[in-house]
Amino acid sequence: MKKYGVDKLRNIAVASHGGAGKTTLTEALLYLTGGVDRMGKVDEGTSTMDYDPDEVKRKISINASVAPVEWKDYRINVLDTPGYSDFVGEVVGAMRVSEAAMILIDSRSGVEVGTELVWKIVDEYKLPRMIVVSRMDRENANFAKAVESVGSILHANAAVVQLPIGEGDAFRGVVDLVKMKAYMWGDNTGKKLTEEPIPADLVGKAEEYRDKLVEYAAETDEELINKYLEGEALTQEELERGLAAGFAAGSFIPVLCVSAAKLVGVQTLLDAIVSLCPSPAAMPAVAGTLPDSEETASRRPSESEPASALVFKTVADPFVGKITMFRVYSGTIRSDSQVYNSSKQKSERFGQVFLLKGKQQIAVSEVGPGEIAGVAKLAETTTGDTLCDKDKAIVFPRIAFPRPVLSMAAKAKSKGDEDKIGQGLSRLLEEDPTLKYTKEAETGELVVSGMGEVHLEMVADRLKRKFGAEMTLDTPKVPYRETIKGTAKVEGRHKKQTGGRGQFGDVWIEFSPLPTGSGFEFEDKVFGGAVPRNFIPAVEKGLREALPDGGALASFPLVDFKAALYDGSSHPVDSSEMAFKIAAQLALKKGIAEAHPVILEPILKVEVTVPEDYMGDVMGDFNKKRGRILGMEPSGRYQVVKALVPMAEMFKYAIDLRSMTGGRATFTAEFDHYEEVPQAVAAAVIEQAKKDREAEA
């Protein structure tokens, strides 16, 4: 593939609500520019971009894929991203390494839930964006209504730069309002493109929208605005320059239209990307820090700068090995060279560097600023790491991936698969930063966390396919704990005589509550040698060993209490450390039962970002979940509802919230504290714990 200068590159991430046609459009871009011989189809599993077996099976995009498109002496790196919210991490990674975003909206549906989600991500990265009204060939397509939804829902300053000629089956061309020309497609090959006069019925509307574009262009430059106010016409070059500046600044959102399936409007879309989107060369220097330092550093998008790149995606494959995808920000990275991972402070040996077209690898000798490339089998490097010259090292900020929102207990389907599941999940973590798993010490369960049901189902499928390990997913156990609210003084006495040397240990211990979060405290209050000094550590050890399952109500771990050893007795021959350990444990069992034991449950601090229309539903749902509303605060077009909610009520909240708000709300949850379980709930918890123990027995 031809090498392009940094000013001839464009990196654009394509995002939308699921099913708006991103992958089909990317296929059309590849086909009409000669990147592929035939146009693949998602429904038939022949798409260049959706090549993963899970994508073919589900007929949806799961991974972000790169399509390098060559058009009129430019290379456009198109990053096709998933539309389903469970795979939003892929969108985040793609946006981080792009200079612009293309947001597709369906011609019938307009702005949808997923559109709002990706719009927020684009906002966070402050990327210029264009909107493409897709699938204009569909029945009941309505360009005007789709454009209207951009303003009414996204509150964006939409500027129409193309008008459709016909809609639905009649869609056959576009009016380019920048050039004031009509382009017509004669058949479905997409290649018989002719330039024609603007249809008479669209001339008035075209002039109206054109005037608005001229105004947007003039506002970007003092010289142009003066010329505009004096009534002088802007030249074509001035108009295009002003529109590109306005697009880059985000002062307006250009709206175009296309039918990827009929291959109408694809070439004019490519022209718009080239003319409007900024090249990497036009971007400011990328900021970072020096390794092990807070001292700032930066890299300009120039080949003369030291090499630097950011890893935005990793693909783990048990057969091919790990593929690392990176974006070069400065300098040149070459095949068969030594590159420094400044995030891990490890050197990596690069083999063959390649460009990616879906799963196809196109070998190149080197890549420069603005390029998106891949390399296989790096030992230390993971997503978010910085690669650079060792002598001129820099560390770029890591990609802020969203935190998991749904957790499930993973259980091996067959005995012996536990180790394979752990090893497989570790490999999958390398390619999916939104996936987490932990071995819960208190419940003994392996808990897998992700972005939703489909995400975790896909993880289970990949484990089976890639690593031969099958797992089932179930609701996790809540890590309940027990404590006491009262005080009790009890004796623990262990005496055993079986011939020969016996066992004797006798202790008196006072159990009393401690503040929440204090844990366990042991106090030695023995006077006069009632318990010999050498046995007192055994008493404490016996108590601590019994804490994990010492609860009197349901054998949950004991916390937040003090045990004060104040008396006891011993035998000169039969007393031993073991005897006093057992005596202490007997005292614990008796004392906890007498000191008003209660069950504690973990409470999460939850923040829900939700449109105002759904606030009442969210708050009402929290009340049903035994939650306490802490407050609300505005966040742009949304409200942030803060609440404390028991963990037991939150395991399926990602599903509940999506159903309640149509997917328009997002949330975060983190552990806050433990508090006492209400009596009515405690009875059910104790009964369930009893059933679980019987099932395990």
Side-chain angles (χ1 to χ4, degrees):
M1 185 172 276
K2 177 183 171 183
K3 183 172 174 59
Y4 292 82
V6 63
D7 60 323
K8 296 291 185 179
L9 293 174
R10 301 290 186 270
N11 295 311
I12 187 164
V14 186
S16 77
H17 183 83
K22 296 178 302 299
T23 302
T24 303
L25 176 58
T26 307
E27 293 287 328
L29 294 172
L30 279 170
Y31 173 65
L32 285 176
T33 56
V36 292
D37 294 330
R38 62 184 295 270
M39 188 168 157
K41 295 183 179 179
V42 175
D43 289 341
E44 296 176 2
T46 57
S47 164
T48 305
M49 308 306 285
D50 288 354
Y51 58 86
D52 186 281
D54 293 306
E55 296 175 314
V56 174
K57 172 186 171 183
R58 297 175 186 273
K59 294 182 172 56
I60 61 170
S61 296
I62 291 173
N63 306 297
S65 299
V66 184
V69 174
E70 295 179 296
W71 180 249
K72 296 182 179 178
D73 288 328
Y74 289 85
R75 186 196 298 148
I76 304 167
N77 290 315
V78 180
L79 287 93
D80 177 30
T81 68
Y84 203 80
S85 61
D86 282 32
F87 309 107
V88 68
E90 298 284 323
V91 183
V92 171
M95 293 296 175
R96 173 65 185 272
V97 296
S98 299
E99 274 79 43
M102 182 195 300
I103 311 296
L104 267 61
I105 60 174
D106 186 272
S107 61
R108 292 196 306 191
S109 309
V111 172
E112 299 176 84
V113 174
T115 321
E116 295 181 66
L117 176 63
V118 297
W119 196 264
K120 287 171 68 176
I121 297 170
V122 178
D123 276 343
E124 288 168 11
Y125 282 107
K126 298 181 172 58
L127 290 180
R129 68 213 77 178
M130 64 174 61
I131 285 177
V132 176
V133 180
S134 65
R135 307 174 83 179
M136 282 297 302
D137 58 306
R138 295 185 76 192
E139 187 179 356
N140 298 324
N142 192 323
F143 179 78
K145 189 175 179 182
V147 174
E148 184 185 339
S149 71
V150 175
S152 61
I153 299 175
L154 299 177
H155 304 288
N157 194 12
V160 174
V161 297
Q162 285 181 358
L163 285 173
I165 300 174
E167 294 181 334
D169 285 340
F171 180 59
R172 62 191 187 280
V174 300
V175 176
D176 184 331
L177 300 173
V178 178
K179 297 177 180 176
M180 284 302 278
K181 293 177 181 178
Y183 295 93
M184 306 291 285
W185 280 260
D187 58 19
N188 286 344
T189 68
K191 296 178 179 178
K192 290 189 177 179
L193 171 63
T194 58
E195 182 184 311
E196 299 183 11
I198 298 173
D201 61 329
L202 290 176
V203 170
K205 186 182 289 186
E207 289 175 347
E208 177 188 339
Y209 282 119
R210 161 82 175 197
D211 289 344
K212 192 65 180 173
L213 286 181
V214 172
E215 186 178 332
Y216 283 132
E219 288 173 348
T220 63
D221 183 278
E222 188 174 343
E223 182 183 332
L224 293 183
I225 193 67
N226 288 334
K227 190 173 182 180
Y228 173 76
L229 292 174
E230 290 170 5
E232 289 185 54
L234 302 188
T235 66
Q236 189 66 26
E237 186 276 330
E238 289 172 335
L239 176 62
E240 292 180 5
R241 175 165 52 87
L243 289 175
F247 174 76
S251 58
F252 69 94
I253 312 295
V255 181
L256 301 92
C257 53
V258 72
S259 165
K262 289 181 71 173
L263 298 170
V264 175
V266 178
Q267 293 96 326
T268 48
L269 173 60
L270 286 164
D271 286 338
I273 294 172
V274 167
S275 63
L276 289 173
C277 295
S279 73
M283 304 306 291
V286 181
T289 57
L290 298 179
D292 289 331
S293 168
E294 293 186 4
E295 186 179 345
T296 59
S298 63
R299 293 289 182 270
R300 293 181 298 106
S302 167
E303 290 188 359
S304 63
E305 289 270 296
S308 68
L310 179 72
V311 176
F312 70 95
K313 182 173 172 59
T314 305
V315 180
D317 191 288
F319 307 109
V320 179
K322 188 168 69 173
I323 294 175
T324 299
M325 297 170 64
F326 58 92
R327 153 71 193 264
V328 182
Y329 283 100
S330 63
T332 303
I333 291 181
R334 297 177 173 85
S335 297
D336 302 315
S337 64
Q338 200 83 5
V339 178
Y340 186 63
N341 182 329
S342 56
S343 303
K344 299 283 196 319
Q345 298 192 8
K346 301 271 187 181
S347 290
E348 291 275 25
R349 180 69 187 174
F350 263 42
Q352 178 66 59
V353 174
F354 45 80
L355 305 180
L356 284 148
K357 185 191 296 178
K359 67 178 177 181
Q360 182 186 350
Q361 298 176 7
I362 305 166
V364 293
S365 60
E366 62 181 37
V367 284
E371 297 272 24
I372 290 175
V375 66
K377 299 179 181 178
L378 297 187
E380 305 287 344
T381 301
T382 55
T383 302
D385 287 353
T386 301
L387 302 170
C388 60
D389 284 345
K390 188 172 184 178
D391 295 338
K392 300 265 183 87
I394 188 172
V395 181
F396 294 132
R398 300 190 74 83
I399 302 171
F401 289 101
R403 291 187 292 179
V405 297
L406 181 66
S407 297
M408 302 289 281
K411 298 174 183 176
K413 205 168 185 179
S414 307
K415 285 187 177 179
D417 268 5
E418 289 87 353
D419 289 342
K420 282 203 287 187
I421 287 173
Q423 292 167 5
L425 286 173
S426 296
R427 294 291 301 277
L428 291 179
L429 282 175
E430 294 177 359
E431 63 179 25
D432 188 353
T434 63
L435 176 67
K436 307 291 179 192
Y437 81 96
T438 55
K439 182 77 172 179
E440 294 294 337
E442 293 184 19
T443 64
E445 290 184 316
L446 181 67
V447 176
V448 183
S449 303
M451 302 306 297
E453 274 186 306
V454 176
H455 185 198
L456 294 183
E457 287 170 7
M458 184 271 296
V459 168
D461 287 348
R462 285 188 171 176
L463 268 180
K464 181 180 178 181
R465 175 169 52 82
K466 288 187 173 185
F467 306 102
E470 289 191 67
M471 71 175 184
T472 59
L473 297 169
D474 201 358
T475 302
K477 295 177 182 176
V478 179
Y480 291 108
R481 296 177 178 177
E482 294 185 35
T483 190
I484 55 176
K485 295 181 73 177
T487 301
K489 293 182 177 182
V490 297
E491 180 186 23
R493 186 179 181 87
H494 176 62
K495 183 177 182 182
K496 191 173 183 182
Q497 195 72 42
T498 56
R501 182 175 175 178
Q503 296 181 38
F504 181 83
D506 179 40
V507 295
W508 281 89
I509 301 176
E510 179 181 13
F511 296 95
S512 57
L514 288 175
T516 300
S518 300
F520 169 71
E521 186 179 314
F522 176 77
E523 185 178 4
D524 172 16
K525 296 173 69 175
V526 174
F527 293 99
V531 177
R533 307 305 305 170
N534 57 313
F535 292 138
I536 290 175
V539 174
E540 181 177 0
K541 187 175 181 182
L543 292 171
R544 290 190 180 277
E545 287 181 357
L547 293 179
D549 54 5
L553 298 174
S555 299
F556 294 128
L558 286 163
V559 295
D560 301 340
F561 72 99
K562 182 168 79 171
L565 174 66
Y566 66 91
D567 203 357
S569 61
S570 63
H571 188 279
V573 176
D574 292 347
S575 287
S576 65
E577 288 189 1
M578 180 58 69
F580 273 95
K581 276 178 65 176
I582 295 172
Q585 290 170 354
L586 291 171
L588 178 71
K589 187 173 182 180
K590 189 191 302 182
I592 293 298
E594 294 179 10
H596 190 182
V598 294
I599 294 177
L600 302 176
E601 65 179 340
I603 304 296
L604 304 182
K605 184 176 182 181
V606 183
E607 292 191 4
V608 181
T609 304
V610 58
E612 277 197 43
D613 293 350
Y614 299 97
M615 274 185 59
D617 295 327
V618 168
M619 294 170 72
D621 185 63
F622 276 150
N623 290 331
K624 293 176 189 174
K625 287 178 163 55
R626 300 189 284 122
R628 297 198 304 275
I629 306 295
L630 299 179
M632 294 156 288
E633 59 183 45
S635 176
R637 298 181 292 113
Y638 296 81
Q639 291 285 333
V640 178
V641 181
K642 299 181 180 182
L644 294 174
V645 191
M647 178 188 286
E649 308 285 349
M650 289 294 294
F651 286 124
K652 297 290 183 72
Y653 189 64
I655 301 167
D656 295 344
L657 186 65
R658 186 174 294 171
S659 173
M660 204 185 328
T661 66
R664 285 185 166 81
T666 57
F667 80 100
T668 60
E670 59 183 22
F671 171 76
D672 193 75
H673 68 281
Y674 271 85
E675 66 181 44
E676 184 180 343
V677 174
Q679 193 169 355
V681 177
V685 171
I686 293 168
E687 181 63 26
Q688 186 60 48
K690 180 182 176 183
K691 290 179 181 177
D692 290 344
R693 287 196 301 273
E694 290 172 352
E696 291 170 1

